[in-house]
Amino acid sequence: MERVLRSFLVSVHFLFFASLILLPADLPAQGRTLTGTVIDGATGQRVPFAQVSIPGTGFGTVAGEDGVFRLDGVPDEPFTLQVQHLGYRTRETVVPPTEDNVEIVLAFDYLQADEIVVTGRATTVERRNAAISVATLNAAEIQRVPAQTIEQAIQGKIAGADIQANSGAPGGGIQVDLRGVSSIIGASEPLYVVDGVIVSNIAIPNNQIVVTEANVGSNTSPLQADQVNRIADLNPNDIERIEILKGAAASTIYGSKASNGVILITTKSGRPGPSRVDLTQRFGVFDLSGKLDYRTFEGEPVEEVVRVFGEAAREPFLQGRFFDHEQELAGRNDLSTETILSLSGGDENTTFYASGLIRNDEGVVLNTGYEKQSLRLNLKQLLGDRWEIGVNTNVVHSEAQRGLFNNDNFLITPYFALPFLPRFYDLEQRPDGTFPPPFPGGASPSNPLQTFELMQNEEDVWRFLGAADLTVDLWRNNAQTLQLISNGGLDWFRQKNDLLFPPELFFEPADGLPGTSLLTEGDNLNLNGSVNLVHEYSPGAYRARTSGGFQYEERELEISRIVSQDLTAGQPSVGSGTSLQVSERKERVEDFGFYVQEELLLLDERLTLTGAVRGEQSSSNGDTEKLFWYPKANIAYRFPEPAQGIDEIKVRLAYGESGNQPLFGQKFISLDATRNIAGEPGLVINPQIGDPAIEPERTREIEGGIDAALFDGNARLDLTAYQQNITNLLLERQLAPSSGGDTQFFNGGELRVRGFEAAFAVTPVKTEDFIWLSRATVFMDRGEILDLPVPSFTFAGFGTSLGAFGIQEGEPPTQIVGFVGGELTNIGDINPDLKMGFVNEIIWKGVNVYTLWEWQRGGDIINLTKFISDLAQTTEDFVPAGQQRLAQFGTGDASVYIEDGSFVKLRELTVGYDLPAKWIETWWPSARRVRVSVSGRDLLTFTDYSGLDPEVSNFGNQQIGRNIDTSPYPPSRSFWFSIDLGF
């Protein structure tokens, strides 16, 4: 690696000094001076800080806060002046030789047709010229409705992004799949990059399986603890922009970490001018939106009750009192709050943005909730006219109380316990503080109300993110620029999970070790550094941009766990147990990569050509010195005004390759040092053996599309079709007993994914006082295993009697298989047939009404929560439907508990009002903006699924293995009232 690094640095220095020799010297200013003013066409107000340039030359400036700009030395002959500003359509106008002062009127870009999108590690391009499909969201789209996490804020808004909550628990736990399944046992999450720094999104389980015994039985996975993926730590209100590179054709430049897509997050920054203060105060409540409503037995014979629950049920049933245990457990509507304060501003040399957040979300379940505090400071400093330095820092603290949910072999999590507790049996706390014991003779050893009152499941996270970037104009003249762009940063967090199950819990003495205290501490550090050279040549007839650079990345993770049981005198600390177990895991990965990229805009910027290649090494690979190459090439051509009503059509074609690194440890033959041989310490080989020649999975993608601007900029249509071929899959194969192990990781096989995406945006009505915006996205994808070098196998799930995931050549990797009539067959598929998002926004004077609906068709779910309640004979429809299900299951039919997960959800709703400026000037002269709004999230759900929510995943973030319903945290809807003030 060092040898490659040295040779690359020598090459970069050579190219740099060659550029200094070959480039012409700066040309002295000549010609005339042009001044002008930038105006908002809708309001007539001046637009501050617009970018003003002459395409194909080095002339450019930024308008001041008053919208006025000045350009010295412009040509004496006619030239094209280009004016750009975020949120407005790009305006180009020809300035004649006789004109020395111009007024440029900008139209608001409601459809974002002229925005800038990322094309490389240090380069961007106008969307109209992009040859790849890039989805973008701005701050307004992200912050329509209060959201706990970034993923929640973008749910339903991106074509090709299947975003699904794993449960309703406060604080996150959401998975993002871009363009379908890209791996079977490899990493499945997108790569997250915040302000140029690659950040961690790992999820560390809290170890509650020690109590629930969820990994005892047919599925030994430890990922059954409803864990939070750490991108949830970021504050959505700090985000200026999100760009999503959905496939390898766009994400090649990130190499072996980009097969699952890349999500680029840019946080807010200050602008020159007077300081601005923005304050938002929100008040809200969460309300239970899904219940199972167990069988009450009202009106049924007492003999039936005794048959189901035993003789102990006779007396309480005859008392005629019935209780809603679900409502008692999950019926909280406590006040939630969010306070956001930001300060921004600066002058022409220094700009700043500072923000603070205090959020408190009260969970619907007893003693659950989520709190977050965040502080951010972003600075930019100009040093002379060539140097710019930026520093972004963010400190986040969060605390989550998530209760005890998900799979459970001990029948103590709520939806495993409640089916075995009669609705006529009182579980509520007595006046003396005690709780009724579990129902006598019942299968569950717990009283869920006592469990949630006395237990503790706290997750405490401190996180620091820091990024610094340096941009140096090494050379600039009328036709060329050469920039050095360097970026570095770190992402550090410490996660502490503190769980306590005191001895007085009814189920605790069952194992003979009453009282359990669990402590998990995770410490993660990501370090990033990159240096890039960007040379742009714009002689007027075309534009050429050459970029190259290298990156170094390092990741360290340490997880330590303490399990303490049989707590002395009920003391909560892990040191008070008589039975202690300690474990620790350490990971460290280093990556080094470099790239070169060429971008050409030809034929009056109608033709776009891009080519790039990235080389990469990683300590995750078996051969740490081997270079893996990831190329890309794409082309696009724009046809201006090809027909009436069509402003422009662009056709594009792109090809790219990216990878998916082996998981840490998949190359090692690891040893277990916890065993003994004849009473003496000894080492044994772990049953999962690594492959010393392991390599990244490789994704090759070809993408084609058509983008159209219609009806004088009032509509936009984007169509994309793609095919991904993923080879070198990470798999496991069985070993001979003589090898000392059970299975071994290796590379082999091929998976293909085909998909289609469409996005349509239109302004059906646009007048001076009334605007109606409408957007729709729709996508679908289909996967197929083309080659499988091992025998077909099942994966995840709880066995083929209930439904598991069948990995089989010629079939989709997301298929559910199970025995029906003694034959193993396909009984479902977790992959949706299609997903659609539909946004409508109406702006009438100061009133704004916004809605987001999401529709999913298909996507099967294994409903094991219903299976448990059927076994308890307490499902609401048990007579006769549940009896029929159990009878069918008894014949060996695994399809009984497979259900369609189709749904329609009202994801977001906001009704807001901006007070007129003249009112504010009269009543509150120091304020510049006052807005009040009411909003809600997940307000309505229409589905035939009989579980709590069709969005569910017992096993957390996995592309394969999701959609298994086993006692999740119940879903909720949220309602918010907000006041926004600007000064």
Side-chain angles (χ1 to χ4, degrees), residues 615-668:
E616 192 173 278
Q617 297 171 329
S618 174
S619 64
S620 307
N621 303 328
D623 184 351
T624 60
E625 298 298 321
K626 182 177 179 180
L627 272 172
F628 291 87
W629 298 96
Y630 301 97
K632 78 170 183 180
N634 51 58
I635 182 173
Y637 190 83
R638 298 188 293 117
F639 297 90
E641 300 182 359
Q644 185 175 2
I646 302 177
D647 307 336
E648 181 176 277
I649 285 182
K650 178 180 67 179
V651 293
R652 50 185 167 80
L653 182 67
Y655 172 83
E657 299 183 16
S658 62
N660 197 13
Q661 284 185 359
L663 300 178
F664 182 83
Q666 288 185 334
K667 72 175 185 177
F668 298 123

Side-chain angles (χ1 to χ4, degrees), residues 479-542:
Q480 305 189 61
T481 62
L482 178 65
Q483 286 186 318
L484 172 70
I485 301 174
S486 181
N487 177 275
L490 65 87
D491 170 26
W492 169 86
F493 73 80
R494 176 165 292 164
Q495 173 181 323
K496 178 183 178 182
N497 293 92
D498 196 352
L499 284 73
L500 174 65
F501 301 89
E504 55 266 36
L505 288 174
F506 292 121
F507 60 83
E508 261 300 321
D511 59 1
L513 299 170
T516 301
S517 184
L518 306 172
L519 180 63
T520 298
E521 291 192 349
D523 201 300
N524 186 88
L525 176 65
N526 282 27
L527 297 173
N528 296 202
S530 70
V531 177
N532 308 274
L533 281 175
V534 180
H535 174 240
E536 185 163 346
Y537 182 48
S538 304
Y542 63 91

Side-chain angles (χ1 to χ4, degrees), residues 865-887:
T865 303
K866 173 178 277 189
F867 175 60
I868 294 298
S869 58
D870 274 355
L871 291 178
Q873 304 180 59
T874 54
T875 315
E876 187 180 27
D877 66 345
F878 185 76
V879 180
Q883 295 170 325
Q884 295 172 355
R885 287 192 295 267
L886 284 181

